[in-house]
């Protein structure tokens, strides 16, 4: 397992560095990030499209926060790799139907730091951003998250953006352990976790522009299984 992870990390690093030299770098990076991201999601029995939607949600959130175009483009490129560390999580944990026990949950939490370690091996600004997202996107605003129990603005903004984007899209998706949630239930959950799990400012942006974010799901629906 370790050798497989190391080989995967080396290949990702090589591809990322090579892509920076291509004339069509941005389009090539987008396609690669989606492919790698969807490969990770496939291990988790997802149906694809989640990584594309999350990328677009992060992009829209960054625009609403008035970040410059360079950051907006970078977070869209980096966000599909947020769960790349799941490559090191055993299938029996990753695909378990039902709640993880304490030991399984400890193993699952390691994917944040593993993902960061994988991405930091590539020496590009985009991979560094992706590493921060992978490492910190399970931190909570109130300090109850993992792996470092950061709180508030100590959590990098790109990870705070990813945290709410990932949960928003996951709640609206049918998964092996849950049915999809309706829009009113999703709104209620975001409001409940405002100031707890999520940055209050980001929740407010979601509530004020909910239909814009919801339309991303309409435009990029989950792939149906054959």
């Amino acid at each position: 397992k370790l050798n497989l992870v190391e080989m995967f990390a080396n290949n990702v690093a090589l591809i990322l560095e090579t892509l920076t030299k291509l004339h069509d770098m941005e389009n090539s990076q987008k396609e690669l990030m989606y492919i790698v991201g969807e490969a990770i999601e496939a291990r988790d029995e997802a149906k694809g499209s989640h990584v594309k939607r999350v990328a677009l949600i992060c992009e829209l959130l960054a625009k609403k926060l008035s970040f410059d175009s360079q950051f907006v483009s970078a977070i869209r490129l980096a966000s599909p790799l947020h769960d790349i560390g799941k490559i090191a999580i055993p299938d029996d944990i990753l695909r378990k139907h039902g709640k993880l026990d304490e030991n399984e949950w400890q193993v699952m939490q390691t994917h944040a730091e593993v993902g960061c370690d994988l991405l930091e091996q590539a020496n590009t600004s985009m991979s560094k951003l992706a590493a921060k997202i992978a490492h910190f996107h399970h931190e909570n605003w109130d300090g109850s998250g993992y792996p470092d129990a950061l709180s508030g603005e100590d959590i990098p903004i790109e990870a705070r953006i990813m945290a709410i984007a990932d949960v928003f899209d996951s709640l609206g998706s049918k998964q092996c352990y849950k049915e999809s949630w309706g829009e009113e239930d999703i709104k209620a959950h975001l409001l409940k976790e405002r100031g707890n799990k999520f940055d209050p400012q980001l929740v407010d942006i979601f509530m004020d522009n909910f239909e814009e974010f919801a339309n991303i799901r309409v435009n990029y629906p989950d792939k149906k299984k054959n």
Side-chain angles (χ1 to χ4, degrees):
K1 174 70 74 172
L2 182 60
N3 288 337
L4 175 63
V5 172
E6 289 177 347
M7 180 179 68
F8 185 84
N10 290 336
N11 287 339
V12 168
L14 178 62
I15 292 169
L16 289 172
E17 290 173 0
T18 300
L19 281 172
T20 63
K21 302 174 184 178
L22 300 178
H23 292 299
D24 58 344
M25 177 186 68
E26 184 172 345
N27 287 335
S28 297
Q29 283 185 326
K30 284 180 184 177
E31 291 306 311
L32 175 68
M33 297 308 101
Y34 291 150
I35 289 168
V36 174
E38 287 180 1
I40 300 302
E41 292 296 326
R43 286 195 65 229
D44 202 7
E45 297 188 337
K47 300 172 184 173
S49 296
H50 171 69
V51 294
K52 291 183 179 179
R53 291 194 301 264
V54 166
L56 293 170
I57 292 166
C58 288
E59 178 186 44
L60 182 56
L61 258 177
K63 287 179 179 178
K64 298 293 184 185
L65 288 164
S66 300
F67 279 104
D68 61 42
S69 59
Q70 184 175 0
F71 180 85
V72 170
S73 295
I75 197 169
R76 179 177 177 176
L77 285 172
S79 58
L81 298 178
H82 63 284
D83 275 338
I84 195 171
K86 285 183 177 178
I87 191 68
I89 305 300
D91 284 346
D92 61 333
I93 294 177
L94 199 61
R95 297 186 176 187
K96 182 176 180 178
H97 290 225
K99 188 176 180 179
L100 300 178
D101 65 31
E102 184 176 350
N103 289 334
E104 291 168 336
W105 179 235
Q106 292 296 321
V107 173
M108 177 63 82
Q109 290 185 52
T110 65
H111 84 273
E113 292 181 283
V114 169
C116 178
D117 291 343
L118 291 174
L119 291 163
E120 283 186 334
Q121 295 188 47
N123 190 28
T124 70
S125 58
M126 192 280 292
S127 63
K128 300 300 183 187
L129 180 67
K132 289 172 69 177
I133 292 173
H135 191 127
F136 297 114
H137 75 284
H138 286 294
E139 300 288 356
N140 294 336
W141 183 259
D142 65 3
S144 64
Y146 68 88
D148 298 332
L150 300 183
S151 63
E153 294 185 358
D154 288 339
I155 305 167
I157 183 59
E158 52 268 38
R160 282 181 269 150
I161 289 172
M162 170 53 67
I164 193 169
D166 191 26
V167 170
F168 170 79
D169 190 68
S170 295
L171 291 178
S173 302
K174 182 177 180 180
Q175 298 178 10
C176 63
Y177 54 87
K178 62 174 272 299
E179 294 296 320
S180 60
W181 289 28
E183 289 189 0
E184 293 307 312
D185 289 332
I186 294 173
K187 289 179 182 179
H189 182 76
L190 295 183
L191 288 173
K192 178 184 176 183
E193 295 297 341
R194 182 184 185 276
N196 297 319
K197 183 173 180 61
F198 304 125
D199 180 337
Q201 181 185 16
L202 299 186
V203 173
D204 293 344
I205 291 173
F206 256 92
M207 300 307 293
D208 291 343
N209 303 275
F210 194 88
E211 292 307 314
E212 274 190 81
F213 290 105
N215 282 338
I216 292 173
R217 168 168 295 283
V218 175
N219 295 329
Y220 295 88
D222 283 327
K223 299 172 184 176
K224 294 182 178 180
K225 292 182 178 180
N226 296 328

